[in-house]
Amino acid sequence: MAKTLKELSVQLENLFKENEKPCCSSIQDVLGKYAVQSEDFTDYIHFNDLHYTRNLVFLNDHFELMVLCWKEGQGSRIHSHTDSNCWMAVLDGLTEETRYVVKSGAHIKELVFPGPCPELHQIDQFISKKGDVGHINDEIGLHRVSAAKGTHAITLHLYSPPIKVANILDPEAGTTTKRTPGFYSLYGKRAQTA
């Protein structure tokens, strides 16, 4: 069992070497065990008053691993995962995840980015605590993640393959957009800003 992020990265690399698309439950098991028993992620804890932060731990062609830090009230916008699988393990605090599908039944690949936002239908909402691990991809639906009311959150995310472009849906504005995700810190050090 991995007790450090370095050990976790090696363990995950080995899983991807054995099978380019490892079993979803294998990844959930590895991330869950780390999340419950490890606390060596302090170098990756960077909160920001304006928005949640994405802090890169590991990146290769198969996956990216990052720690996300959410202050109370901070959350992502509704988004897809552009052909990537996303696993999220809660390291500290509580998260709230809300999942959606396109009400018409259209698949995310049928939508135009940028373009008009289709009507969305909420299919699930739940709170996750330390050690809980969730999984989502575009076949499952869209989602929004935030720190649960009254708390902050620190989460560990694995995206496979790494996400190059995020598709954002904004029902209030009635629009969809594309965004290239960035990192607040790289390998424990604050990223340089332009």
Side-chain angles (χ1 to χ4, degrees), residues 105-178:
H107 191 279
I108 190 73
K109 290 181 181 180
E110 298 172 44
L111 303 180
V112 177
F113 293 90
C117 184
E119 189 174 351
L120 302 178
H121 174 69
Q122 181 179 319
I123 57 171
D124 209 350
Q125 185 172 40
F126 44 90
I127 303 291
S128 298
K129 65 185 181 321
K130 181 178 175 73
D132 289 347
V133 182
H135 170 257
I136 192 167
N137 59 33
D138 288 352
E139 299 303 317
I140 296 169
L142 309 159
H143 77 164
R144 178 184 190 282
V145 177
S146 64
K149 188 174 181 177
T151 185
H152 72 280
I154 301 171
T155 54
L156 182 66
H157 293 239
L158 186 151
Y159 298 98
S160 177
I163 292 183
K164 305 285 188 230
V165 175
N167 292 322
I168 310 293
L169 294 92
D170 187 343
E172 288 183 24
T175 60
T176 64
T177 57
K178 282 187 177 288

Side-chain angles (χ1 to χ4, degrees), residues 59-64 81-82 84 159-165:
L59 172 67
N60 68 15
D61 291 339
H62 298 290
F63 69 94
E64 59 188 341
H81 292 90
T82 54
S84 291
Y159 298 98
S160 177
I163 292 183
K164 305 285 188 230
V165 175

Side-chain angles (χ1 to χ4, degrees), residues 50-69:
L50 300 177
H51 53 79
Y52 72 94
T53 63
R54 301 169 81 245
N55 304 284
L56 184 64
V57 174
F58 181 87
L59 172 67
N60 68 15
D61 291 339
H62 298 290
F63 69 94
E64 59 188 341
L65 186 67
M66 63 189 78
V67 172
L68 276 64
C69 299

